[in-house]
Amino acid sequence: MTAIGKKELVRTLEETGKLLELKGENPFKCRAFYNAARNLEMQEEEPQALVASGRLAEIKGVGKALQEKIVELVETGRLEYYEQLRSEFPDTLFDLFRVPGLGVKKVKAIYEKLGVASLGELEYACTENRLALLEGFGEKSQAKVLQGIAMVKRFRGRFLYSQARAEGQRVLEPLCGAPGVVQADLCGSLRRCKETVADVDLVASAGDPAAVLDALAALPGVEKVLERTDTKCRILLDSGIEVDLQVVPEEAFPAALAVLTGSKGHVAALKAWAKKKDYELTEAGLSRSDGEAVPCDSEAALFEQLALEWIPPELREATGEIEAAAEGALPKLIEPSDIQGIFHVHTTYSDGADTIEVMAREAQKRGYHYLGIADHSQSAFYANGLSEPRVRQQHEEIDRVNAKLKGITILKGIEADILPDGSLDYSDAVLASFDFVVASVHSSFGLSEEAMTARLCRALENPYTTMLGHPTGRLLLSRESYALDMEKILQAAQKHGKIIELNAHPYRLDLDWIFCKEARKRGIPISINPDAHETAGFDDVQYGVAAARRGWLEKGNVFNTQSVEQIKKRLGSS
DNA sequence: GCCGTTTTCGGCCCGACTGTTTTCAGTCG
């Protein structure tokens, strides 16, 4: 039986709704699929458990027909109804939904009236001005669509770090155990924890490369072998991600690992550094200028030979790490275990799937000492944002849970919408009732750079703002950052003593690591926040920590590495 | 397709923003 996850189920139901809408079905029928998908997304239990326990029927919006479909999907991993619908449209049509501003109605019009069913065709139609002439579209939407297509093309063939790492581990683990393999590791941008990557790079050492390459090709999940030489192999996984494996002799592994980890700029600088020290560094190993090989049994030993501190892969971006390593001045990077508590999690009060108590118990289980609840604020209708009476209600519940649980402190927070003018969407009296306020933008993304910068700066001036949430609003591989001047925002944060969030959700990782470095220089504390909407969301903290490490952050630069006492002092609550 | 009764079909429906219109439809969070 294929174990189908909640995400997959929700996606299939949403797509079914879209397909029905494309067909021109009754809009309420389409909505039934969207509603069911939304309500299922809010469930704590995985679909399989829901089916097994018979609780599926109790979920609002799931009637007899949808129950049958969900059971089919959960039990067989497929849904005939969905596949039938899907086969009625060209596969490429769904790419159009990735263009911002194109929803079902517009895609339907484009498909039916222009006969356009792929991104390439749409781009061509735009250059011929045909989209602008279509009813319901105009010059501006055509320009926006062209911009959107350019973005989608740029992101095509790239994967989120979280997904790529899972796929990398899926291949690496069996490979480590394959006969003849001495060592194997991830390398490339994945080892550097880059927020998005193009593929999975692996390096292994073995006496017989062919046997290792055979083992790779035979792994489950390998769709096909794309390329193969005596020592290298490139395969395609069923997830769509490509994996590159290079096999080297045992003695070459440390040098190969260092060189293949990159980045290009870092390796060039490392090679130049080696040369200056009368060495030559290549994938094949380290040697003296006279050609004599210098054995190194690990990457750390290789760096030591070069009179450098070992440089963590996250820092290998050619931004001064070699000079720092030479001076023994590398930062002591933050570790996941440094995180003492969590801010910015959602609960069932707004759009989260778990209750305050469930989230708190999970945080406690994971060894955290405090948990800052930050549900959506009142103007976030779409996310069931909290009206003022519901804020009071939540505070009473937090008091109750705090009294009940020992060893963890639940803090009263809110993720307050920053309105277009930069104000927050509660009265001062209500804002004053929170222990902390995460101020975030969730609307009017299209402001000019000037207006958006002023908006964020004003939010940072607000005495009730504790930290700025997901500062650029980007969604990796799907939405660009809104226009803003980050320098000015960092200046404002510094001036007003505010914290900036590093949103750890793998789609966001916002603040970007480049600006983490800048924030560190200015002494602006960064808070690594999972923005969790269910207990599983706590897992995302690791991605935030990885991004923080790329930004040279140490324990002392990160707000939520502090103890609960320090946090309370800073937040002014007792 | 779901829900809730008025037991057998009619109603279902977030608001701001954008860009298209010339009063509104579509998208988005």
Side-chain angles (χ1 to χ4, degrees):
Chain A
M1 188 161 81
T2 323
I4 181 167
K6 190 167 79 174
K7 269 190 192 145
E8 181 75 6
L9 170 66
V10 166
R11 195 187 56 83
T12 307
L13 293 179
E14 276 173 353
E15 276 193 23
T16 306
K18 276 186 183 174
L19 286 160
L20 290 169
E21 234 181 306
L22 280 173
K23 273 190 80 167
E25 265 284 2
N26 175 358
F28 294 108
K29 179 173 170 178
C30 305
R31 182 144 52 211
F33 282 83
Y34 301 137
N35 288 340
R38 208 182 49 233
N39 292 329
L40 280 159
E41 196 170 22
M42 302 281 276
Q43 298 303 311
E44 290 175 32
E45 288 174 81
E46 281 295 311
Q48 253 166 334
L50 287 172
V51 169
S53 67
R55 274 230 316 122
L56 192 59
E58 295 166 21
I59 296 169
K60 204 165 148 40
V62 179
K64 198 162 167 286
L66 271 165
Q67 260 180 72
E68 281 174 17
K69 291 185 174 64
I70 293 165
V71 169
E72 180 188 336
L73 195 52
V74 168
E75 287 184 348
T76 68
R78 298 180 50 191
L79 179 58
E80 177 67 30
Y81 183 73
Y82 163 77
E83 283 173 19
Q84 173 59 41
L85 280 168
R86 179 96 203 205
S87 71
E88 293 175 35
F89 297 92
D91 260 348
T92 51
L93 188 63
F94 261 62
D95 294 341
L96 268 51
F97 289 110
R98 300 182 58 191
V99 178
L102 294 187
V104 190
K105 305 250 166 45
K106 292 201 162 165
V107 168
K108 189 172 192 296
I110 289 168
Y111 179 54
E112 288 177 353
K113 299 199 176 130
L114 291 181
V116 159
S118 72
L119 280 176
E121 288 170 337
L122 181 58
E123 188 172 28
Y124 185 59
C126 288
T127 60
E128 287 194 325
N129 208 35
R130 282 189 286 134
L131 188 65
L133 298 175
L134 189 60
E135 201 186 326
F137 295 81
E139 288 289 337
K140 277 198 175 169
S141 31
Q142 180 168 279
K144 216 178 129 201
V145 163
L146 270 174
Q147 223 180 2
I149 292 172
M151 182 191 78
V152 173
K153 276 170 129 181
R154 195 149 33 89
F155 293 154
R156 194 148 39 188
R158 293 199 70 85
F159 298 83
L160 293 179
Y161 170 73
S162 53
Q163 191 199 349
R165 205 191 52 176
E167 293 295 309
Q169 291 296 348
R170 189 160 77 108
V171 176
L172 179 64
E173 277 169 29
L175 201 66
C176 284
V181 171
V182 183
Q183 286 187 83
D185 208 341
L186 300 172
C187 54
S189 50
L190 188 54
R191 183 162 178 246
R192 303 199 312 277
C193 302
K194 217 172 155 210
E195 54 278 17
T196 67
V197 303
D199 57 11
V200 171
D201 290 311
L202 296 169
V203 56
S205 61
D208 177 10
V212 182
L213 299 182
D214 287 344
L216 176 73
L219 289 179
V222 174
E223 198 138 293
K224 63 177 172 186
V225 176
L226 300 168
E227 243 181 281
R228 179 166 171 170
T229 68
D230 290 345
T231 56
K232 288 186 200 177
C233 188
R234 187 168 182 83
I235 57 161
L236 175 68
L237 292 179
D238 51 14
S239 56
I241 196 161
E242 293 180 14
V243 178
D244 252 335
L245 171 65
Q246 178 152 356
V247 186
V248 299
E250 196 180 335
E251 64 278 11
F253 187 81
L257 180 63
V259 170
L260 295 173
T261 295
S263 64
K264 233 183 213 168
H266 167 85
V267 173
L270 188 63
K271 285 182 175 179
W273 174 269
K275 202 167 178 184
K276 220 166 72 182
K277 300 267 167 193
D278 262 350
Y279 289 104
E280 192 187 11
L281 174 67
T282 70
E283 269 173 51
L286 185 68
S287 55
R288 300 205 186 275
S289 51
D290 61 8
E292 188 197 341
V294 180
C296 303
D297 61 6
S298 67
E299 207 189 47
L302 176 98
F303 276 92
E304 200 182 334
Q305 193 72 42
L306 294 173
L308 293 173
E309 272 188 273
W310 178 75
I311 303 175
E314 295 93 326
L315 297 185
R316 302 186 193 174
E317 296 294 342
T319 57
E321 68 276 10
I322 293 185
E323 295 76 1
E327 292 163 15
L330 285 175
K332 188 176 180 317
L333 296 181
I334 179 170
E335 302 281 347
S337 59
D338 292 330
I339 302 290
Q340 295 299 305
I342 296 295
F343 289 98
H344 196 170
V345 305
H346 296 265
T347 73
T348 46
Y349 270 82
S350 66
D351 58 351
D354 292 308
T355 62
I356 295 170
E357 184 170 340
V358 167
M359 292 299 274
R361 286 187 186 278
E362 179 67 21
Q364 195 174 25
K365 202 174 114 195
R366 290 173 184 242
Y368 297 129
H369 302 297
Y370 48 90
L371 178 69
I373 305 288
D375 272 308
H376 286 285
S377 60
Q378 57 187 353
S379 50
F381 300 96
Y382 56 88
N384 194 24
L386 273 57
S387 61
E388 296 192 4
R390 292 186 64 232
V391 167
R392 284 193 293 276
Q393 197 189 335
Q394 186 179 51
H395 287 182
E396 285 165 16
E397 184 167 340
I398 291 177
D399 287 339
R400 278 197 299 276
V401 180
N402 259 331
K404 194 166 156 188
L405 300 185
K406 299 292 164 221
I408 187 153
T409 303
I410 307 166
L411 297 161
K412 296 166 185 161
I414 195 80
E415 183 178 18
D417 269 26
I418 303 174
L419 301 177
D421 69 355
S423 61
L424 304 182
D425 66 336
Y426 287 116
S427 65
D428 283 359
V430 175
L431 288 171
S433 72
F434 296 107
D435 293 324
F436 71 98
V437 173
V438 182
S440 309
V441 166
H442 289 115
S443 63
S444 303
F445 297 132
L447 298 187
S448 68
E449 179 177 318
E450 207 183 355
M452 189 60 94
T453 305
R455 177 186 188 182
L456 292 183
C457 287
R458 191 168 164 222
L460 285 165
E461 284 166 22
N462 190 312
Y464 296 106
T465 298
T466 312
M467 57 180 90
L468 179 63
H470 43 72
T472 76
R474 75 174 179 189
L475 292 178
L476 292 166
L477 306 185
S478 66
R479 189 176 73 201
E480 304 275 16
S481 146
Y482 24 77
L484 49 80
D485 183 340
M486 187 54 81
E487 280 299 315
K488 286 197 178 139
I489 286 156
L490 293 175
Q491 271 171 24
Q494 183 179 12
K495 182 175 167 195
H496 301 289
K498 304 296 182 184
I499 298 160
I500 291 188
E501 169 177 277
L502 195 177
N503 190 297
H505 194 285
Y507 273 92
R508 292 192 184 268
L509 297 174
D510 180 14
L511 191 66
D512 189 271
W513 65 273
I514 288 184
F515 294 114
C516 286
K517 234 178 149 174
E518 186 58 32
R520 181 186 130 134
K521 260 192 234 162
R522 293 173 179 275
I524 301 166
I526 297 293
S527 187
I528 300 177
N529 299 347
D531 199 354
H533 285 71
E534 55 188 325
T535 53
F538 285 116
D539 289 341
D540 294 344
V541 170
Q542 60 178 315
Y543 305 123
V545 171
R549 289 170 62 88
R550 285 175 62 75
W552 293 54
L553 297 190
E554 303 184 310
K555 181 180 173 183
N557 306 125
V558 176
F559 183 55
N560 51 325
T561 58
Q562 297 187 16
S563 69
V564 65
E565 292 77 20
Q566 289 170 309
I567 291 282
K568 279 183 175 174
K569 202 172 157 198
R570 161 74 190 243
L571 298 178
S573 59
S574 51

